[in-house]
Amino acid sequence: MEEQPSPKILDALWRYRWTSLAIVALVVLASALAAWLLGGTSSAGARIVLKTPDKAGIVGVDAQSETAFVRYVNQRALFLVSDRVLSGASANLAGAVPVDVLRDEVAAKASDNGESIMVTVNAGDSESSASIADAVTKAYQAESKEDVRAAEQKTLDTLAARRRDVLASVPADKGADPNTLAAGPTLGDLDKQATQARIAAEQFGDGVSFVDKAVADGTSVLGTIARDLAIGFVVGLLIAGAVAWVRADRDRRMREVDDLTAATGEPVLAEIELLAEPEAAALREVGSHPLWPYQFAASSLRTSVERGVVVVTSSAPGDGSTTSTLQIATAAARSGARVLVVDASVRTHGLSDLLGLRYDPKGLTSIAVGASRMDECTRVVDLGDRVYLWAIPAGQYQEATLDHFRSSLLQAAVGAMRSAYDLVLIDTASPSSAPEVTPVIKESDGVVVVVRRDREARLVHRLREQIRLLGGQVAGYLFTFARPQPDTPHRAVSARSRQQPMAQQPGSGPQQRGQQSPAQQTVPAQPAVQKGQQPVQAQPLKQQQPQKQQ
């Protein structure tokens, strides 16, 4: 048997649409609430493009190579977030933002190309973030310029000290000392270096080529809520889809006839739609004309099982196996076949209830224990229009009786039924709930499994496996309680059908105890009725009361 295919995500979402909507709504609500409580987390960013340090080495850095310059930019990014710069930024803000707060709100790093410093400030709102970013860049420029001036002054002081040393080495009488001639070029070189240092410091300035003014890149509280709502919807949809798919994968049910076909790989004889209450009552009325799906199923059975015994069963009560048995039997009988129906549900007597034979003392139980012959237990049911059914009721049920069931007698009875009738339909419960009648499955020529919509796939699989283990063969399936289709024709319901007090869907409870429908006339069958022979017109039997148990 083929496995039922994995569910599709869209089908799973639609199947559990209300649960999925609830999950999405909860996630969206949580996202909106979080955005509202946390508020807008606006930030601002500024960019500081640095100059390449001069060869004069005013800042003490040799940045002629690309690697050296990148290292220099990273050093300046660290300097930007130092307490010295942040203290200057706090002073620029008139002390409104302490240095401790700025440490948490200001971040700096080298750009990807290594030519600039990227400053990011996250102060909670865009206006505050932009003002802090501008204050930080101004403080950085001021502190950098101060460093350059300090480096310039240090260089000039060093050159001046060397000049003094040179002059101190020159004797008072310059014309007689040859060292006087060498001091002149040295002093000139020192003066040249001092001039270069002043020029380099003036050109380098604060070391900043230009600054991109701080720009807020955050959103408002409403913008944050809208963004989080969109994110929450997507996340909620993903969570709902995952939950729905897992539920659908774990809850395999026969929701459509295609599911049944895909899961079993065997033919579905008919699809019976969910009926309104009056139409359902008409199905259970003996002698009523069968629905066209049951007529099609009867024709299919007579084609596949030309002359034989067919067991009708289901995986669970309420699937409609009893009603289906009666409808298929009626359709086959009206097509001219000699049909026998057997109630093998000896505990529930569902078919016997429909035929008004609930309290018939003889039936299948009598045959199974060897108390009666088959012809003594067979009854004739008049369907009207000179059409008849033969029926074997369940008989009187007692728990002790089941202990005396003999498989050989049931097997012999099935063989006799096959030889005497064109089609034999045996209504029985699932083999797991009625093990005493399982020999009929082995002796049958086919099994029709009735499956109700939304029935769990595992139950259908288990029933099919049981039928295979018992030696039976599935002839087909009936899919009951299917979703109504708008283009499906519905038959008119007679006034008698509308007056039925126990009108129910296929497979539901039996008729009132002892009640017989007007079209239902039963008499004991004659032992030697031959095929084609017209039985005597049945007369209504007096209601038989159950015998008092000893």
Side-chain angles (χ1 to χ4, degrees):
M1 178 172 49
E2 301 178 5
E3 289 292 334
Q4 191 174 3
S6 298
K8 298 180 180 179
I9 186 66
L10 293 180
D11 294 341
L13 283 172
W14 177 252
R15 182 186 305 176
Y16 303 106
R17 51 189 176 275
W18 299 117
T19 303
S20 301
L21 285 175
I23 292 175
V24 173
L26 286 175
V27 175
V28 169
L29 182 61
S31 302
L33 185 60
W36 179 261
L37 293 177
L38 298 177
T41 55
S42 300
S43 61
R47 185 175 66 152
I48 302 174
V49 180
L50 302 180
K51 294 179 180 178
T52 303
D54 191 82
K55 292 182 179 180
I58 296 300
V59 295
V61 176
D62 181 13
Q64 298 308 307
S65 66
E66 182 178 354
T67 303
F69 183 72
V70 171
R71 183 168 60 250
Y72 167 71
V73 174
N74 284 315
Q75 291 174 350
R76 301 312 295 173
L78 293 175
F79 174 71
L80 187 142
V81 293
S82 65
D83 287 351
R84 179 180 166 189
V85 175
L86 295 180
S87 297
S90 179
N92 293 337
L93 295 170
V97 183
V99 176
D100 294 340
V101 176
L102 291 176
R103 289 195 192 100
D104 298 330
E105 295 179 347
V106 179
K109 66 176 183 177
S111 64
D112 294 336
N113 57 14
E115 296 179 353
S116 59
I117 300 174
M118 306 303 297
V119 183
T120 304
V121 180
N122 190 343
D125 63 88
S126 57
E127 185 177 354
S128 299
S129 299
S131 62
I132 292 175
D134 289 337
V136 170
T137 56
K138 290 178 181 179
Y140 171 80
Q141 289 177 285
E143 296 299 331
S144 295
K145 191 170 186 178
E146 189 66 27
D147 285 347
V148 172
R149 286 177 180 174
E152 176 193 5
Q153 187 61 44
K154 183 177 180 180
T155 301
L156 293 177
D157 292 344
T158 302
L159 293 175
R162 292 180 61 187
R163 182 181 178 82
R164 287 193 298 271
D165 293 340
V166 171
L167 290 175
S169 66
V170 177
D173 187 3
K174 300 178 182 179
D177 190 353
N179 292 331
T180 304
L181 298 176
T186 301
L187 294 176
D189 185 61
L190 291 175
D191 291 340
K192 181 179 178 181
Q193 291 182 25
T195 302
Q196 290 177 344
R198 292 188 184 95
I199 294 173
E202 186 66 26
Q203 290 179 344
F204 192 71
D206 56 8
V208 177
S209 179
F210 63 89
V211 176
D212 287 336
K213 190 176 181 181
V215 177
D217 57 358
T219 56
S220 62
V221 175
L222 293 179
T224 302
I225 293 177
R227 179 196 62 193
D228 288 358
L229 283 176
I231 296 175
F233 176 78
V234 174
V235 173
L237 191 61
L238 292 176
I239 295 175
V243 172
W245 189 90
V246 171
R247 291 184 62 185
D249 187 62
R250 293 174 62 89
D251 183 22
R252 302 290 185 93
R253 294 179 181 273
M254 304 299 181
R255 290 178 170 82
E256 302 294 341
V257 67
D258 293 338
D259 297 337
L260 181 59
T261 304
T264 62
E266 293 170 332
V268 177
L269 301 178
E271 180 181 1
I272 295 88
E273 296 181 357
L274 179 67
L275 302 176
E277 191 170 343
E279 294 176 313
L283 287 182
R284 303 181 61 81
E285 183 179 353
V286 177
S288 64
H289 288 274
L291 297 178
W292 68 267
Y294 287 116
Q295 298 177 22
F296 181 79
S299 300
S300 301
L301 277 179
R302 294 200 63 190
T303 301
S304 58
V305 184
E306 183 177 356
R307 183 186 182 92
V309 178
V310 176
V311 173
V312 183
T313 186
S314 61
S315 59
D319 285 10
S321 60
T322 299
T323 304
S324 299
T325 301
L326 180 60
Q327 286 282 302
I328 294 175
T330 302
R334 290 189 177 279
S335 66
R338 181 179 171 87
V339 182
L340 171 68
V341 292
V342 181
D343 188 1
S345 300
V346 296
R347 290 181 173 84
T348 59
H349 298 76
L351 185 59
S352 300
D353 280 333
L354 291 182
L355 300 175
L357 301 173
R358 169 81 181 196
Y359 301 109
D360 196 316
K362 295 184 178 181
L364 186 64
T365 55
S366 304
I367 298 174
V369 299
S372 302
R373 301 189 308 273
M374 187 185 74
D375 57 348
E376 296 175 344
C377 302
T378 306
R379 305 290 180 262
V380 180
V381 180
D382 186 1
L383 300 178
D385 299 328
R386 303 175 65 84
V387 178
Y388 302 92
L389 274 181
W390 282 260
I392 297 179
Q396 296 301 307
Y397 165 74
Q398 295 179 3
E399 285 292 343
T401 305
L402 302 181
D403 297 334
H404 300 284
F405 268 40
R406 296 167 60 183
S407 301
S408 58
L409 294 178
L410 287 176
Q411 294 171 357
V414 171
M417 296 173 191
R418 182 184 292 107
S419 61
Y421 298 92
D422 297 329
L423 179 63
V424 179
L425 295 175
I426 302 178
D427 177 37
T428 181
S430 172
S432 59
S433 60
E436 64 278 351
V437 293
T438 52
V440 301
I441 294 179
K442 180 179 180 181
E443 296 299 322
S444 66
D445 300 293
V447 180
V448 173
V449 179
V450 182
V451 179
R452 178 174 181 151
R453 179 171 60 90
D454 288 335
R455 184 62 66 202
E456 294 182 21
R458 63 179 182 84
L459 297 180
V460 179
H461 294 338
R462 184 174 65 182
L463 175 59
R464 186 179 183 278
E465 184 66 17
Q466 291 172 348
I467 294 173
R468 185 186 67 83
L469 292 176
L470 292 172
Q473 183 178 1
V474 177
Y477 295 84
L478 293 178
F479 189 70
T480 59
F481 293 84
R483 290 187 177 89
Q485 302 296 328
D487 55 346
T488 301
H490 295 276
R491 71 180 180 187
V493 181
S494 62
R496 180 177 59 182
S497 299
R498 291 193 297 267
Q499 294 173 359
Q500 289 289 328
M502 298 292 290
Q504 299 183 18
Q505 298 297 337
S508 56
Q511 290 179 324
Q512 184 177 351
R513 176 170 295 188
Q515 181 179 350
Q516 294 182 344
S517 60
Q520 192 178 322
Q521 306 291 339
T522 62
V523 296
Q526 302 298 324
V529 180
Q530 301 297 327
K531 182 176 179 180
Q533 180 180 351
Q534 178 180 339
V536 181
Q537 177 64 37
Q539 300 295 329
L541 292 178
K542 294 183 179 180
Q543 180 175 336
Q544 301 180 18
Q545 299 297 333
Q547 297 178 355
K548 184 177 180 181
Q549 298 183 7
Q550 299 297 329

